[in-house]
Amino acid sequence: MQLTMTGEYALRAMIYICSFPGDNVFQISDIAIKNEIPDNFLRKIIPLLCKSGLLNSTRGAQGGIKLLIPAKDITPLMIIESVEGEISLNKCMIANEFCSNENWCSVHVLWAETQKKIKEMLSSKTMDVLAHDNTERFNAFHLQKETNKQLRKKNKE
Amino acid sequence: MQLTMTGEYALRAMIYICSFPGDNVFQISDIAIKNEIPDNFLRKIIPLLCKSGLLNSTRGAQGGIKLLIPAKDITPLMIIESVEGEISLNKCMIANEFCSNENWCSVHVLWAETQKKIKEMLSSKTMDVLAHDNTERFNAFHLQKETNKQLRKKNKE
DNA sequence: TTGTAATATGACAAAATTACTCTCAATTGG
DNA sequence: CCAATTGAGAGTAATTTTGTCATATTACAA
């Protein structure tokens, strides 16, 4: 009942990319290092984000990847489903996955409702907001740490 | 991002048990056959439901398992968490699982909210209702099938 | 008190999935 | 052509899931 590393890394990468102006170009190796993602693994994940139309990649010298659509039009759900396929809480919720009880199973209905709710939640925020919040909170957190350090130093004197 | 078979089987077994009066005693083998659950596997799952206080088991002749608390006080979430541990959508949501970004990561907040929502959903129905709906829908579905069969037969004549 | 009927437990094993790595191909700009 | 960059496919190691099996434990009843 958990996100895989693939999804986690995709989210991290996208948050990172969305923290910069939309036309910035990034190298995969750079994203990998800055976000503690295994380089080779990220190279398998980025193409998925390209195929789903979130990113655009160009090979060769001066190549790299960049946002294909604005961060304000991207939701976490889109990212997760790009790399992990459609979210489903139970095998019986996958279309075409045969479940003989589908017609009458009362739990099936509950799964369906829950799944819908999850999708709603993961679509309720867009990447521009999340990325922005992230940098703000990051800065505030480290500023606070720095302040505390200085206070402790002062108290010692 | 899916329920395991352990959770699925636990739910099936509990729905089955909750479809009978609360003081009924069941044998694991019987539950396994009726619900298409591998017998040996179910024997690993049932004790978990006992340990969490949903079921009560007695060994020996005339032994078996039965509900320890009324079906109306049991939610699907309780069953799932009994056998799979606490639901968590991401490693970083597990208590004690270290996540260095926890303090500022904006996605962390979204995960937390989503997780809460899921727990709410899976606690919104109780097993007495689900089990009852299940038998009703099951009967209705099979009655309908039978009716259709007879109609087709009549049309042929 | 002994046999039989039931669950409990722990070690083990097979299968599936996840999380990668590595090599080579394709593309682009200079 | 060369260097820089992504793409794709095969392969692999680690982990998790999904069980099995043998043995222990317990309870009743003759």
Side-chain angles (χ1 to χ4, degrees):
Chain A
M1 205 74 143
Q2 271 191 0
L3 198 71
T4 62
M5 291 315 287
T6 303
E8 166 74 19
Y9 291 153
L11 270 174
R12 273 194 221 170
M14 289 298 288
I15 279 271
Y16 178 75
I17 292 171
C18 292
S19 306
F20 295 89
D23 51 354
N24 261 43
V25 174
F26 304 85
Q27 264 93 64
I28 294 181
S29 299
D30 175 58
I31 300 175
I33 292 169
K34 296 272 175 54
N35 295 279
E36 301 180 88
I37 304 172
D39 191 296
N40 282 325
F41 197 20
L42 188 57
R43 279 169 199 287
K44 305 303 293 283
I45 298 171
I46 295 287
L48 299 172
L49 295 166
C50 294
K51 272 170 196 148
S52 73
L54 303 183
L55 296 179
N56 168 267
S57 72
T58 47
R59 297 173 170 190
Q62 323 312 327
I65 59 175
K66 63 174 180 179
L67 279 179
L68 188 56
I69 61 177
K72 74 168 175 39
D73 296 334
I74 303 178
T75 65
L77 182 68
M78 291 164 73
I79 298 170
I80 294 169
E81 298 206 322
S82 292
V83 299
E84 305 213 332
E86 204 188 342
I87 280 185
S88 92
L89 287 181
N90 197 334
K91 290 203 181 76
C92 70
M93 300 307 297
I94 303 174
N96 302 326
E97 186 91 2
F98 184 67
C99 167
S100 61
N101 304 347
E102 187 173 352
N103 296 293
W104 49 268
C105 170
S106 60
V107 187
H108 194 97
V109 178
L110 184 59
W111 283 128
E113 285 168 359
T114 308
Q115 191 159 308
K116 194 174 155 207
K117 210 67 168 182
I118 294 178
K119 292 192 182 187
E120 276 173 28
M121 295 289 297
L122 295 179
S123 303
S124 66
K125 297 252 169 82
T126 52
M127 291 306 285
D128 59 333
V129 174
L130 287 171
H132 181 259
D133 284 5
N134 218 48
T135 24
E136 271 208 339
R137 291 160 59 94
F138 179 86
N139 290 337
F141 178 68
H142 284 90
L143 185 64
Q144 186 60 42
K145 259 176 56 178
E146 199 50 41
T147 310
N148 288 344
K149 214 170 169 182
Q150 286 172 1
L151 277 178
R152 278 199 302 280
K153 204 174 168 186
K154 209 167 204 172
N155 284 345
K156 269 193 184 172
E157 288 169 5
Chain B
M1 203 77 144
Q2 271 190 3
L3 198 71
T4 62
M5 292 316 287
T6 302
E8 166 73 19
Y9 291 153
L11 270 174
R12 274 194 222 171
M14 289 298 288
I15 280 270
Y16 179 75
I17 293 170
C18 292
S19 306
F20 296 87
D23 52 354
N24 261 44
V25 174
F26 303 85
Q27 263 95 64
I28 295 181
S29 298
D30 174 59
I31 300 175
I33 291 170
K34 297 272 174 54
N35 295 280
E36 301 181 86
I37 304 171
D39 191 296
N40 282 324
F41 196 20
L42 187 57
R43 280 171 198 285
K44 305 302 291 284
I45 298 171
I46 295 288
L48 300 173
L49 294 166
C50 293
K51 271 170 197 148
S52 73
L54 303 184
L55 296 179
N56 168 267
S57 72
T58 47
R59 297 174 170 188
Q62 325 309 329
I65 59 176
K66 63 176 180 177
L67 279 178
L68 189 56
I69 61 177
K72 73 169 176 41
D73 295 336
I74 303 179
T75 65
L77 183 68
M78 291 164 73
I79 297 170
I80 293 169
E81 297 205 324
S82 292
V83 299
E84 305 213 331
E86 203 186 342
I87 280 185
S88 92
L89 287 180
N90 196 333
K91 289 204 180 74
C92 70
M93 299 307 298
I94 304 173
N96 303 325
E97 185 91 2
F98 185 66
C99 167
S100 61
N101 304 346
E102 186 174 352
N103 296 293
W104 49 269
C105 170
S106 60
V107 187
H108 193 98
V109 178
L110 184 59
W111 283 128
E113 286 168 0
T114 308
Q115 191 161 305
K116 194 176 154 206
K117 210 67 170 182
I118 294 177
K119 292 192 181 184
E120 277 172 30
M121 295 288 298
L122 295 179
S123 302
S124 66
K125 297 252 170 80
T126 51
M127 292 305 286
D128 58 333
V129 174
L130 287 172
H132 180 260
D133 283 7
N134 218 47
T135 22
E136 272 209 339
R137 292 160 58 92
F138 179 86
N139 291 337
F141 178 68
H142 284 90
L143 185 65
Q144 186 60 44
K145 261 178 51 178
E146 200 49 42
T147 310
N148 288 344
K149 214 170 171 182
Q150 285 173 0
L151 277 177
R152 278 199 304 280
K153 204 172 168 187
K154 211 169 203 172
N155 284 344
K156 268 192 185 172
E157 290 169 4

